Amino acid sequence: MKVYVFVIFDFTKKNIPLQPWRYLYEMALHLNKRGRVIIITNGGQGETEVGGLTVYSLPRISPADSHRLREMIASSGAYEVYWWASPRTYFYKVLFESLQQKVNLLYTGPVYYSKEIIPVLPFIGREQWRTYVSELCTPHRLTRRIVNNPCINKVITLSNRNKERLAAIGCQPEKIVVTGIGKDVFGDEEKMIGTVRRPKQLLYITSATKIRGIEMLLHVFARLVKQDPDLELRILARPSKGNNTKLVRSLCCRLCLKQHVHIVEGWLSKTEILHELAACRVLIMPFLLVHSEMPVSILEAFSVGTPVIAPDLDGITELIKHRGLPYIHHKPGSLQAAIELMLDDDTLHQAYSSQALAFWKERPHWSNLFNTVSI
């Protein structure tokens, strides 16, 4: 029986429903049907089994201290290694070259250009600086060197845009596999489709954090309300790391939006979320930067025929093409123009709604996503 070892940072039961862990988890489940999957993660959460998969934890995974990790991979009898990659993965080059197994890199995050990060760096929150300043300081040539190294077998990514950017920086395109994203089916989608929409209601779903653009959205919304006092914004603030509804409430007060913004805190059931999506005019995802190429919330919106307004970042652009409107991620005026168009043009809204639903119906379920691609 073949053994597949996945090295996934922060792999816990709590994170599995979230992207990109959901994508990595589903890939691991797929390979577990062929053999046996072992997850190696960091942090020492004390979990030895997560979602039906065997998990081993190391206190720390770093290029400078990879001896124990190398031993674990060797002792597992691994056939292949799947490594959750980032721009800094190059620094594990010595480890990869020392392994007897083929190594596959899993790029679930965008390949950013500096011109995309620099304009929003002051606004994403200090807790995010370490990630993105490090990315700015890591030249693309290091990604090219590690991908093209003979020790790397494949690069697996979600979007064609990522593949194009990896190829543009000199990575061997024949190594790159694009999978797309899978969908969930909860059973309530069909009956939600007939929900009467509120034509003046906008919806935001995710944690209320700086990097997710909640402040930019509120400033744009304040300008829109001056033009149309009947507008409403509902914020479903998921209580994940960094969520700050206190900041949101304070900003709403300063912008005189208390009567127009409704904040729903806590975790909602999938039925409740689908109802919120079916009842709104449009889902707005005002992200300044994204950690995952293709957020699951977009497909959830499509499942009830709701168009999406989202930034021109990574796989999001191809996901919402003809099913929503992209905007320039660091320009509030671009976001405002997209919202105005979606509010004012009923013909466009209906066309995008129909195409969003059709796209969702054609997408494979998570359990079938990897059946037609070579991973």
Side-chain angles (χ1 to χ4, degrees):
M1 181 171 61
K2 292 179 179 178
V3 175
Y4 305 94
V5 170
F6 279 67
V7 179
I8 304 175
F9 297 86
D10 303 315
F11 187 80
T12 64
K13 284 186 175 76
K14 183 179 179 180
N15 282 341
I16 282 180
L18 309 175
Q19 281 284 66
W21 293 277
R22 176 65 189 278
Y23 173 78
L24 299 170
Y25 171 67
E26 294 291 347
M27 186 186 298
L29 283 182
H30 173 79
L31 290 174
N32 203 46
K33 297 173 185 176
R34 297 186 192 173
R36 181 185 178 218
V37 165
I38 295 173
I39 308 287
I40 300 177
T41 190
N42 61 314
Q45 299 291 324
E47 297 174 333
T48 57
E49 182 273 332
V50 174
L53 300 173
T54 301
V55 177
Y56 296 120
S57 296
L58 290 172
R60 186 166 177 261
I61 297 175
S62 75
D65 184 20
S66 60
H67 177 71
R68 177 63 180 139
L69 176 59
R70 185 185 298 107
E71 287 183 342
M72 291 179 72
I73 293 172
S75 64
S76 70
Y79 172 70
E80 284 186 87
V81 174
Y82 290 78
W83 187 283
W84 186 15
S86 75
R88 298 179 296 282
T89 298
Y90 172 82
F91 300 106
Y92 290 93
K93 175 176 173 286
V94 173
L95 169 64
F96 296 158
E97 290 176 336
S98 71
L99 297 175
Q100 300 299 312
Q101 296 81 7
K102 294 182 289 186
V103 178
N104 302 298
L105 300 181
L106 310 176
Y107 276 94
T108 63
V111 177
Y112 278 126
Y113 295 146
S114 297
K115 65 181 180 181
E116 293 169 323
I117 298 176
I118 291 173
V120 298
L121 202 56
F123 311 109
I124 62 175
R126 291 189 178 184
E127 68 279 2
Q128 301 290 339
W129 287 359
R130 180 180 177 184
T131 297
Y132 290 102
V133 170
S134 296
E135 189 157 337
L136 280 173
C137 295
T138 307
H140 283 152
R141 68 174 179 272
L142 298 187
T143 298
R144 179 177 67 247
R145 288 176 185 174
I146 192 63
V147 169
N148 293 347
N149 191 299
C151 68
I152 301 302
N153 180 44
K154 291 177 184 174
V155 172
I156 302 170
T157 189
L158 287 83
S159 71
N160 285 301
R161 191 175 189 179
N162 245 13
K163 179 176 182 177
E164 291 165 2
R165 289 196 173 188
L166 287 167
I169 63 176
C171 297
Q172 297 170 6
E174 62 272 16
K175 284 190 174 185
I176 306 171
V177 178
V178 178
T179 66
I181 189 176
K183 72 178 181 184
D184 286 304
V185 179
F186 301 108
D188 295 318
E189 290 84 2
E190 287 290 336
K191 58 186 177 184
M192 292 292 179
I193 292 171
T195 302
V196 177
R197 291 193 184 274
R198 300 184 181 94
K200 302 286 188 177
Q201 186 184 97
L202 313 177
L203 185 66
Y204 169 100
I205 303 179
T206 189
S207 55
T209 60
K210 288 178 176 291
I211 195 170
R212 296 189 185 276
I214 186 63
E215 292 174 272
M216 182 173 74
L217 174 59
L218 288 173
H219 280 97
V220 166
F221 184 66
R223 293 199 291 268
L224 292 169
V225 166
K226 289 179 180 179
Q227 301 171 17
D228 186 349
D230 293 329
L231 288 178
E232 175 191 2
L233 172 63
R234 286 180 67 79
I235 297 175
L236 308 189
R238 294 174 175 171
S240 51
K241 185 178 180 181
N243 184 52
N244 191 345
T245 51
K246 183 178 179 181
L247 170 69
V248 174
R249 294 182 192 280
S250 174
L251 187 54
C252 286
C253 287
R254 286 198 285 117
L255 296 173
C256 301
L257 291 175
K258 287 183 67 176
Q259 303 303 314
H260 301 274
V261 176
H262 304 279
I263 302 172
V264 180
E265 298 190 65
W267 293 101
L268 300 184
S269 69
K270 286 299 180 183
T271 299
E272 290 171 320
I273 291 173
L274 290 177
H275 178 75
E276 292 279 357
L277 286 165
C280 73
R281 176 75 169 187
V282 61
L283 173 65
I284 302 178
M285 308 185 75
F287 300 166
L288 301 180
L289 295 171
V290 294
H291 293 298
S292 174
E293 294 183 68
M294 292 184 170
V296 171
S297 295
I298 293 178
L299 279 190
E300 290 178 346
F302 289 172
S303 75
V304 291
T306 298
V308 175
I309 293 174
D312 59 344
L313 296 173
D314 201 65
I316 290 176
T317 307
E318 64 196 65
L319 194 57
I320 68 171
K321 186 177 183 181
H322 305 310
R323 297 171 282 273
L325 293 172
Y327 67 92
I328 301 171
H329 72 290
H330 60 90
K331 293 189 175 182
S334 180
L335 173 59
Q336 181 173 342
I339 296 174
E340 289 173 338
L341 181 57
M342 194 66 79
L343 287 171
D344 297 340
D345 193 330
D346 290 337
T347 302
L348 179 74
H349 182 275
Q350 183 56 49
Y352 283 173
S353 176
S354 298
Q355 290 177 75
L357 184 58
F359 178 82
W360 180 81
K361 289 180 177 179
E362 293 173 358
R363 287 305 301 166
H365 190 275
W366 281 112
S367 60
N368 299 319
L369 177 65
F370 302 105
N371 288 346
T372 57
V373 292
S374 176
I375 61 170

